[in-house]
Amino acid sequence: VKKRRVLVLVHPTLIPPASLRGRSAREIEEWRVEFDVVAALRGLRHDVRILGVLDSLIELDATLRDWRPHVVFNLLEEFNGIVSYESHVVAHLELMQQPYTGCNPRGLMLARDKLLCKQLLVAAGIRTPAFHAVAPGSVLRLPAVLKFPLIVKSARDDASLGIAQGSVVRNLAQCHARVRFMHRQFGAVALIEEYIPGRELYVAMLGDMRPRTFPVWELQFGRLPASMSRIATRHIKWDRAYQHRLGIGPRRAMDLPRKALTHVTSTARQAYRALQLSGYARIDFRMREDGELFVLEANPNPNLARIEDFATSAAAAGIHYEKLIGQIVATGLAHRAEWRS
Ligand SMILES: Nc1ncnc2c1ncn2[C@@H]1O[C@H](COP(=O)(O)OP(=O)(O)O)[C@@H](O)[C@H]1O
Ligand SMILES: [Mg+2]
């Protein structure tokens, strides 16, 4: 690999240490992605610098000017604590004619807004659960087409924020209460969706015009008690001890007929295109028992930790971690940004 100057952008509290020695499991969890990516970039012999970005771009601009990185490895997910400003930082890189890894600003903006994302999917003829949105301050009038059970989530947040067993509601009273809770707790538009029982499938993708797809992954709910809804709550997603105890976690999807596998992968491609994604992403699905497939959401710039599903599904395709990080860098360097033409 050609040696490149790579500037890694991270949240200032997530600058990883040089080694894991003496760190608690809890600390490691915080900057696992940052540590893994930096270690891989160094393993690839790149010249790596890490820059924390909180609420100013002054230092970033000075570094772009003075050090002239070949590529920015973008691990930022917010600016000044505001998640919807994530795309603005990437837009800034684009204005500076700076190559970067991951998704372009437009794709980020479209996919991160769950409502806009669903509207675009519907317009492209891609199935997504029927939905209704309620902004804070407005009253809930549930359209009759929506059939219980429903799930209530935030239209803006990700990483399963606000997703708990109580998110699945079985009647109007429960729905009202959960919407009120989401408004009060997160101040976000509440997104009410039809609850789709079935298998939860993920497709990791890498590339721009013709992205490649990795083997279909499935969130296994293991020995989760039958009384509980099989959803990726905050607990299920992040509590490693709990995952371990119940055998919960994403694995390669087994016993899916070949036809179903191709359907999932081709729908993932359609969604990637409809949302104008680039770089790398993970598209999430629910597949009902009758085989009907629904896109739950698209995640541009998904979690890149070595142990998370993006990297593990790439590994199943024979792309080990360092190689994957190298390909993400190469994709960023080759991205046909508008300023190039
Ligand atoms: N319509 C739905 N039907 C069934 N389960 C759902 C639905 N929407 C969300 N879920 C469950 O909730 C989890 C989190 O929802 P998601 O929309 O992916 O939010 P986040 O952005 O926080 O990951 C999903 O992984 C899935 O398990
Ligand atoms: Mg999700």
Side-chain angles (χ1 to χ4, degrees), residues 1-13:
V1 208
K2 215 166 141 196
K3 184 171 172 150
R4 306 283 196 176
R5 287 183 299 279
V6 184
L7 181 65
V8 184
L9 291 191
V10 303
H11 191 280
T13 59

Side-chain angles (χ1 to χ4, degrees), residues 52-304:
V53 172
L54 183 67
D55 60 357
S56 160
L57 299 178
I58 291 172
E59 213 181 326
L60 169 63
D61 284 350
T63 313
L64 297 185
R65 192 187 55 226
D66 300 339
W67 194 52
R68 300 196 299 122
H70 293 101
V71 65
V72 163
F73 204 110
N74 179 27
L75 293 177
L76 278 180
E77 297 190 336
E78 55 180 52
F79 181 80
N80 201 13
I82 302 169
V83 286
S84 62
Y85 286 0
E86 174 190 21
S87 62
H88 301 354
V89 179
V90 187
H92 179 78
L93 294 173
E94 200 97 9
L95 297 184
M96 301 294 281
Q97 305 197 346
Q98 171 61 53
Y100 54 85
T101 63
C103 192
N104 70 86
R106 196 208 312 256
L108 274 175
M109 199 257 278
L110 299 178
R112 289 277 191 244
D113 180 328
K114 289 208 165 116
L115 260 183
L116 206 45
C117 167
K118 288 174 73 77
Q119 283 159 346
L120 286 169
L121 292 174
V122 171
I126 301 164
R127 204 144 183 212
T128 179
F131 64 104
H132 179 68
V134 195
S138 56
V139 270
L140 163 62
R141 276 195 210 86
L142 201 62
V145 288
L146 288 188
K147 301 280 179 260
F148 287 102
L150 302 170
I151 180 166
V152 182
K153 46 195 192 184
S154 159
R156 180 191 60 200
D157 295 287
D158 65 347
S160 286
L161 204 68
I163 305 274
Q165 285 294 317
S167 304
V168 180
V169 295
R170 286 158 214 292
N171 56 52
L172 201 55
Q174 282 180 358
C175 187
H176 270 285
R178 193 67 193 182
V179 167
R180 221 176 303 125
F181 170 81
M182 292 307 285
H183 285 165
R184 215 173 310 133
Q185 196 79 4
F186 301 103
V189 173
L191 178 60
I192 306 169
E193 281 185 11
E194 255 175 20
Y195 179 78
I196 312 294
R199 300 172 70 167
E200 179 150 337
L201 305 173
Y202 303 142
V203 178
M205 303 178 68
L206 170 66
D208 285 356
M209 301 310 283
R210 284 172 200 284
R212 91 174 265 191
T213 56
F214 296 132
V216 178
W217 236 231
E218 176 169 15
L219 179 60
Q220 305 273 355
F221 290 94
R223 296 176 294 280
L224 187 76
S227 58
M228 292 172 81
S229 298
R230 297 169 94 74
I231 56 171
T233 58
R234 195 140 177 90
H235 200 45
I236 284 194
K237 209 165 213 168
W238 300 111
D239 189 335
R240 306 256 181 232
Y242 186 71
Q243 290 170 0
H244 208 78
R245 203 159 60 240
L246 293 181
I248 295 169
R251 260 151 257 167
R252 193 176 186 142
M254 292 305 191
D255 10 281
L256 263 186
R258 175 125 65 158
K259 220 169 134 203
L261 284 174
T262 14
H263 183 39
V264 174
T265 331
S266 71
T267 311
R269 280 179 204 288
Q270 284 172 20
Y272 199 88
R273 207 173 318 121
L275 298 168
Q276 304 186 42
L277 302 182
S278 61
Y280 58 102
R282 197 193 70 221
I283 314 290
D284 297 358
F285 298 88
R286 280 259 164 167
M287 185 178 263
R288 255 183 359 208
E289 229 162 79
D290 62 2
E292 274 298 324
L293 187 66
F294 298 81
V295 173
L296 283 191
E297 64 158 349
N299 301 283
N301 300 1
N303 190 314
L304 283 183

